Amino acid sequence: MSETRSRPPRGTGKVAPDGKPTLRTIAQMTGFATTTISRALNNAPELSVETRELVQKIAAEVGYVRDRTALRLKTGRTHVISLVLDPHDEILGFGKSMVSGLIDAIAGTPYHLVITPISPRRDPLDPILYILRNKAADGVIFSRTEPDDARVKLLTEEGLAFVSHGRTELPSPHPYVDYDNEAFAYHAARRLVEKGARRLSIILPPDRFNFGRHLKKGFERAVAETGVGHEYLPRVSLDAPAEDIRAATVVRLNEPNPPDGLICTGDAAALAIMAGIADSGRIIGRDVDVVVKQTSGVFSLVRPKVDAIYEDTALAGRQMGELLLRRIAGEAPENLQIVHQPEINF
């Protein structure tokens, strides 16, 4: 298709009867054909950079918004990616960092991101069923997978592209980006033993989540190798409110045979545990040591400073977006699997 203009640019374009600017509006303003306008808005690489930038600039100025219904009827696609977000407090800034990564991944593509929040009290399958029923997205991203995850099974059966943040134990391959929580827990426990801890405790997520199994496996491997005492922080899970975690830490540290090494599997929980240590009258670095899984740069400013192992959730978000686009394009799921290794900088 030629990029030659049929008339001078920036004339007054006509709008649709409802007052909304259309492709024809931009075509009349630029002198390009409507097919060129459409391709420029889709960042077609065969068009010059100058043409794409001009068309996109004018589209933004006039407030052009694509008719998603018409687009779906024409192409069979919505050009929507849905992030099903569980607003848990497990880690600081989880949603923000993951969203920023996803936005980077789809920049320059026809896709845009829609966030579908889900309450912890709802069935995690509900938003997936809504998306499938309404054909609301071309692909889905979700987190906190379970070993026999119903969402993975349903989306696989229905043929809708998806990427999960976390693995499952299902036999059929599926796309995912995950963090090696087993390695994290192992290295965290070994670090505490190196620093002199003789009884370790770890806070775990609810039993239904697969990453909790990985944490437990790594923790138990380390304590088996070193022979130290160990336990799981009683009365609370990683999903408990911060005040409950703080209170449970105080109670446990004031009981007989308390742990002197604590593994915090999320930085929000770490703040609560550190507050509990202080409120129990203990001092970090003297009476008890801590290792934290850190996902937020803000945590680096917390004092006293403690050992931390970093998980890059922004990178995970970007990679999930990239894998999802490849899956939508038809790439096999077994080629779309990434596991991040912990960054150990003790």
Side-chain angles (χ1 to χ4, degrees):
M1 295 276 184
S2 171
E3 297 176 38
T4 304
R5 292 173 177 167
S6 60
R7 56 184 62 84
R10 308 306 297 273
T12 301
K14 295 181 180 179
V15 298
D18 61 4
K20 295 179 181 178
T22 65
L23 292 179
R24 189 179 298 276
T25 308
I26 303 170
Q28 291 174 336
M29 295 178 71
T30 62
F32 290 122
T34 54
T35 53
T36 301
I37 300 300
S38 177
R39 288 157 57 223
L41 292 173
N42 284 320
N43 276 307
E46 66 270 18
L47 298 181
S48 68
V49 173
E50 292 79 6
T51 296
R52 283 180 279 164
E53 288 181 347
L54 173 63
V55 170
Q56 291 170 12
K57 179 176 183 291
I58 293 175
E61 288 176 355
V62 300
Y64 171 74
V65 178
R66 297 184 186 204
D67 185 336
R68 295 284 166 185
T69 301
L71 184 65
R72 182 165 63 184
L73 289 172
K74 182 178 179 180
T75 67
R77 290 189 173 177
T78 63
H79 287 134
V80 170
I81 288 173
S82 180
L83 169 63
V84 180
L85 190 60
D86 179 0
H88 54 84
D89 292 330
E90 167 198 328
I91 51 183
L92 295 174
F94 175 84
K96 180 180 179 182
S97 59
M98 187 162 287
V99 167
S100 69
L102 283 168
I103 290 172
D104 287 343
I106 63 176
T109 75
Y111 286 91
H112 76 284
L113 184 66
V114 170
I115 298 175
T116 305
I118 178 171
S119 165
R121 294 179 293 277
R122 287 181 59 195
D123 185 336
L125 203 56
D126 286 349
I128 304 300
L129 289 169
Y130 174 86
I131 292 166
L132 287 168
R133 188 181 304 118
N134 293 280
K135 295 181 173 60
D138 296 332
V140 183
I141 291 173
F142 56 89
S143 63
R144 310 199 99 196
T145 51
E146 301 179 13
D148 187 42
D149 201 291
R151 298 167 298 179
V152 171
K153 291 195 290 187
L154 179 60
L155 288 166
T156 301
E157 291 168 1
E158 294 293 331
L160 182 62
F162 71 93
V163 177
S164 62
H165 186 233
R167 289 164 280 176
T168 69
E169 294 181 5
L170 293 167
S172 57
H174 65 86
Y176 59 75
V177 175
D178 201 2
Y179 178 78
D180 194 337
N181 282 287
E182 179 179 344
F184 159 77
Y186 176 81
H187 288 294
R190 294 293 307 227
R191 174 62 170 174
L192 289 170
V193 173
E194 289 171 7
K195 297 182 78 171
R198 288 295 171 262
R199 183 170 184 82
L200 308 185
S201 182
I202 184 172
I203 184 168
L204 293 176
D207 292 339
R208 68 182 183 276
F209 295 125
N210 207 39
F211 79 102
R213 297 187 179 196
H214 296 162
L215 288 166
K216 192 173 182 180
K217 185 176 180 181
F219 181 67
E220 290 179 346
R221 179 159 60 94
V223 297
E225 289 177 359
T226 58
V228 297
H230 72 284
E231 62 181 59
Y232 305 101
L233 189 63
R235 305 177 184 91
V236 288
S237 77
L238 193 60
D239 282 7
E243 173 55 27
D244 291 355
I245 296 174
R246 183 206 66 80
T249 303
V250 173
V251 170
R252 180 64 192 99
L253 291 179
N254 285 323
E255 292 174 338
N257 195 24
D260 56 358
L262 288 162
I263 298 175
C264 305
T265 50
D267 40 19
L271 294 175
I273 287 172
M274 292 172 69
I277 292 170
D279 291 348
S280 72
R282 270 91 174 158
I283 296 177
I284 294 175
R286 185 192 71 185
D287 307 308
V288 60
D289 281 303
V290 175
V291 176
V292 178
K293 185 206 286 187
Q294 178 182 343
T295 62
S296 169
V298 174
F299 195 86
S300 298
L301 304 177
V302 173
R303 297 295 182 270
K305 195 168 184 178
V306 298
D307 286 326
I309 300 175
Y310 186 58
E311 178 182 1
D312 193 337
T313 52
L315 174 61
R318 179 170 61 79
Q319 290 177 333
M320 284 193 291
E322 292 168 349
L323 295 189
L324 184 58
L325 293 175
R326 289 164 59 187
R327 181 61 183 140
I328 291 171
E331 192 164 342
E334 54 266 28
N335 298 331
L336 306 173
Q337 299 173 336
I338 298 173
V339 178
H340 294 173
Q341 293 303 310
E343 298 179 11
I344 310 298
N345 296 307
F346 299 139

